[in-house]
Amino acid sequence: MTKNYPTVSEDYKKAIEKCRRKLRGLISEKHCAPIMVRLAWHSAGTFDCATKTGGPFGTMRFTDEQAHEANSGIKIALGLLDPIRAQFPTISFADFHQLAGVVAVEVTGGPEIQFHPGREDKPQPPPEGRLPDATKGCNHLRDVFAKQMGLSDNDIVALSGAHTLGRCHKERSGFEGAWTSNPLIFDNSYFKELLSGEKEGLIQLASDKALLEDPTFRSLVEKYAADEDVFFSDYAKAHLKLSELGFAEA
């Protein structure tokens, strides 16, 4: 899809770059990359292409959206970001939250992801229930990522690879455990672990196992497990698409 990015001032661009540096320091110091990716994803993943509502437009600033069941624990990310947020009042929440996700991937060794500033903050949050359910399979993944958000099978599998970061927390999601042995490093180990089967101490959810049950998904899992460079390239494109759903549409 062709994008028509808004023009932002030179001062705004400078603020974004200074904010990027501050975020690098915070995320490195606090080891909080996983929850920053979650914040960015959960903000963007509410986009509905049929109604053009939801999406990466700063609505996680509202307590109503923070209270959605899928966002349990998201206040931790927002609390960590508050001191930096206070330094950059001219940056929209929308840009700020998506920039945090981009930086989180980069500082953990992942690919560089393009970032285009200029998102505006929407005045109200989306309805609850638009984010994917980890207990469901392939049809659900396509319903949410393809039908609702407008993403491809390739995007679904590449984005799933970000589970190389972070872990499930019982008190937030009902599940407990990490997907990989080093949940603070962004690499292709999620796909390798998925293909090697369940291991003690690591977790595989229904939505993870579903990627092996569908032949299209499985071929992509195998491709990414075999070649990290290909995964990084596809992930960077998919993350960019996710972070710009509904933004700068020509």
Side-chain angles (χ1 to χ4, degrees):
M1 180 186 291
T2 304
K3 292 284 186 177
N4 184 20
Y5 296 109
T7 301
V8 299
S9 69
E10 287 303 312
D11 283 346
Y12 194 88
K13 290 177 186 175
K14 287 177 183 176
I16 288 286
E17 288 313 305
K18 188 173 182 180
C19 182
R20 187 194 292 266
R21 292 193 293 273
K22 297 286 186 182
L23 286 168
R24 283 191 190 121
L26 172 81
I27 294 168
S28 297
E29 179 194 0
K30 301 292 186 182
H31 304 296
C32 59
I35 202 167
M36 295 305 166
V37 173
R38 183 167 176 248
L39 170 64
W41 273 40
H42 282 213
S43 298
T46 59
F47 183 69
D48 178 63
C49 54
T51 61
K52 305 294 184 188
T53 57
F57 298 104
T59 54
M60 202 66 83
R61 70 190 188 276
F62 295 117
T63 54
D64 281 358
E65 188 167 355
Q66 295 166 25
H68 291 178
E69 186 177 355
N71 292 330
S72 179
I74 212 79
K75 289 181 182 178
I76 296 168
L78 295 167
L80 288 166
L81 289 172
D82 275 346
I84 295 178
R85 173 69 210 167
Q87 296 175 51
F88 299 97
T90 62
I91 296 177
S92 68
F93 282 92
D95 277 346
F96 184 59
H97 293 162
Q98 292 309 311
L99 184 62
V102 164
V103 172
V105 171
E106 292 175 1
V107 300
T108 49
E112 289 188 17
I113 299 159
Q114 282 185 291
F115 182 81
H116 303 103
R119 296 166 188 77
E120 294 183 356
D121 291 332
K122 286 189 174 179
Q124 61 186 38
E128 189 166 4
R130 291 187 177 180
L131 294 171
D133 183 338
T135 67
K136 297 184 178 177
C138 301
N139 290 340
H140 173 72
L141 289 174
R142 287 193 172 103
D143 282 344
V144 174
F145 284 97
K147 290 181 184 176
Q148 178 193 298
M149 297 186 213
L151 299 175
S152 68
D153 280 359
N154 216 107
D155 297 328
I156 291 171
V157 181
L159 289 169
S160 296
H163 282 142
T164 187
L165 291 179
R167 60 185 298 115
C168 290
H169 299 267
K170 189 82 173 176
E171 69 277 12
R172 300 178 199 169
S173 64
F175 302 104
E176 184 67 41
W179 287 269
T180 66
S181 57
N182 195 336
L184 290 173
I185 295 294
F186 195 103
D187 56 19
N188 67 339
S189 59
Y190 167 81
F191 300 109
K192 292 179 177 179
E193 294 291 358
L194 200 54
L195 289 170
S196 69
E198 295 193 51
K199 287 182 185 172
E200 188 176 352
L202 298 182
I203 195 168
Q204 290 187 4
L205 305 176
S207 55
D208 301 312
K209 295 173 185 175
L211 300 181
L212 300 181
E213 294 163 5
D214 180 276
T216 302
F217 287 161
R218 187 182 183 103
S219 67
L220 290 163
V221 169
E222 290 170 349
K223 181 168 77 168
Y224 296 150
D227 194 327
E228 188 175 80
D229 289 341
V230 172
F231 165 51
F232 275 24
S233 177
D234 284 0
Y235 179 84
K237 294 170 191 168
H239 188 126
L240 176 65
K241 284 169 71 173
L242 177 68
S243 73
E244 294 187 346
L245 290 173
F247 169 58
E249 293 187 350

